[in-house]
Amino acid sequence: MKIQSLVLAFVFSILTTALSAQTFDGGIATYQSKTSFDMEGFGGREISEQQKKQFAERIKSRLEKTFTLTFTKDESIYEEVEKLETPGAGGGGMRFGGGFSQGGVYKNVAENVYARENDLMGKNFLVKDTLSKLDWKLEKESKMIGQYAAFKATAIRKTDPNPWEAMRPRRGGREEEEKTQEPTEELITAWYTPQIPVSQGPDEFWGLPGLVLEVTAGRTVILCNKIVINPKEGIEIDVPKKGDKVSRLEYEKIVAEKTKEMAERFGNGRRNGPGGRG
């Protein structure tokens, strides 16, 4: 372990010197995000193993995504890379009303500003607030990620109930429903590199003494696989500006209300549809 640390320290010193020798304007980092899905509790006995397998294949593309983080010392924008749909794969997602989509995550660490453009059922919202900061604990572990010496950091984050859980049928009655509405905690594990001395990272993760290259949060793993420092095309960060301005809390309340409306509408449709009680 000591030998590994010494090697990393040596590599870190060389590469940090090389980076500091050139003018740093910013960079573009590419990340792969993968989220696992709990198929064990999905559908219960009503869905066969074959149907579960087919469903897992259909949602795979939605759980594995590519993002780019365009960053400077103070600002960054984290955006999904659009990809072409596989022929015949359309229509697999759930759409209600005008649909739901999220824009890129904008962070300004110098001014403590968070912003994001979201489309909720055809209405545009500009979610603008202060940055959410985690209480990071710097650990002793280190490893190489590509050509960068990375160091471990951990934090505990409170997670609010997922509003889309309201759409899932309940079998355990009111007690189970109330349990799913309780806030929980999850361990966040990040790996950052001081070789790129910016307090930036993917999604909403930031606040470490170096660019965050890897994050594990719940069922999601985000891993950087490419970094271009001072790209020839330059750095362009568009600050989100469109939509009705709301805070995080206000937007979460709107989403919860809309989700509840859809759940009630969906439930009524099932009861009044074919085979229902009307």
Side-chain angles (χ1 to χ4, degrees):
M1 186 65 185
K2 284 186 177 181
I3 295 176
Q4 182 186 25
S5 299
L6 287 172
V7 172
L8 284 173
F10 177 69
V11 173
F12 168 68
S13 63
I14 293 176
L15 294 176
T16 301
T17 302
L19 181 61
S20 61
Q22 61 178 314
T23 302
F24 175 74
D25 296 320
I28 300 176
T30 304
Y31 294 83
Q32 297 294 326
S33 173
K34 292 187 178 183
T35 301
S36 60
F37 186 80
D38 181 17
M39 294 302 299
E40 291 298 321
F42 178 73
R45 297 179 180 178
E46 299 175 5
I47 298 180
S48 67
E49 290 302 316
Q50 180 63 25
Q51 289 174 316
K52 288 183 180 181
K53 184 177 180 180
Q54 292 174 346
F55 179 77
E57 288 297 321
R58 292 181 66 181
I59 67 170
K60 182 179 179 180
S61 62
R62 300 181 185 276
L63 300 178
E64 298 181 5
K65 299 181 178 182
T66 302
F67 293 85
T68 58
L69 178 74
T70 304
F71 62 91
T72 63
K73 182 179 179 181
D74 296 332
E75 296 179 281
S76 69
I77 185 79
Y78 183 68
E79 302 172 292
E80 182 179 353
V81 177
E82 294 185 7
K83 58 183 177 181
L84 296 175
E85 290 285 347
T86 303
M94 296 176 67
R95 294 183 178 274
F96 301 93
F100 172 77
S101 65
Q102 293 181 303
V105 176
Y106 170 81
K107 302 189 291 291
N108 187 319
V109 299
E111 299 179 4
N112 193 28
V113 173
Y114 163 94
R116 189 171 198 174
E117 293 175 2
N118 291 343
D119 182 302
L120 182 62
M121 298 182 188
K123 187 171 183 178
N124 295 322
F125 292 94
L126 173 61
V127 184
K128 194 168 184 179
D129 215 319
T130 56
L131 290 168
S132 295
K133 189 171 183 178
L134 294 171
D135 185 15
W136 292 107
K137 177 184 178 183
L138 305 186
E139 308 287 357
K140 295 180 180 180
E141 290 95 329
S142 59
K143 67 179 180 179
M144 294 297 295
I145 297 180
Q147 64 180 10
Y148 295 97
F151 299 85
K152 185 178 180 181
T154 58
I156 300 296
R157 179 175 68 175
K158 288 187 177 181
T159 59
D160 294 322
N162 184 350
W164 304 106
E165 279 288 307
M167 301 296 295
R168 187 168 66 87
R170 305 293 178 192
R171 294 185 177 84
R174 186 176 184 83
E175 184 177 344
E176 181 189 348
E177 184 174 352
E178 290 178 350
K179 186 177 181 180
T180 61
Q181 298 304 308
E182 296 176 0
T184 58
E185 292 184 343
E186 66 178 1
L187 173 66
I188 307 296
T189 301
W191 294 86
Y192 66 96
T193 177
Q195 290 172 232
I196 303 179
V198 297
S199 187
Q200 301 286 358
D203 202 11
E204 298 189 22
F205 301 104
W206 69 286
L208 285 164
L211 180 68
V212 178
L213 301 181
E214 182 179 333
V215 176
T216 300
R219 296 181 180 275
T220 299
V221 176
I222 305 172
L223 178 63
C224 179
N225 59 13
K226 181 181 178 182
I227 300 176
V228 178
I229 299 296
N230 297 338
K232 293 180 180 180
E233 63 271 23
I235 298 294
E236 184 176 345
I237 297 176
D238 294 324
V239 182
K241 297 178 180 178
K242 298 179 181 179
D244 294 345
K245 186 178 177 181
V246 293
S247 67
R248 289 173 188 264
L249 184 58
E250 289 170 335
Y251 184 70
E252 288 170 2
K253 288 182 178 179
I254 293 171
V255 172
E257 290 172 1
K258 292 296 183 181
T259 306
K260 185 178 179 181
E261 290 176 10
M262 288 190 294
E264 291 175 350
R265 194 182 313 154
F266 180 68
N268 288 335
R270 285 189 304 165
R271 287 192 293 271
N272 298 330
R277 296 184 178 181

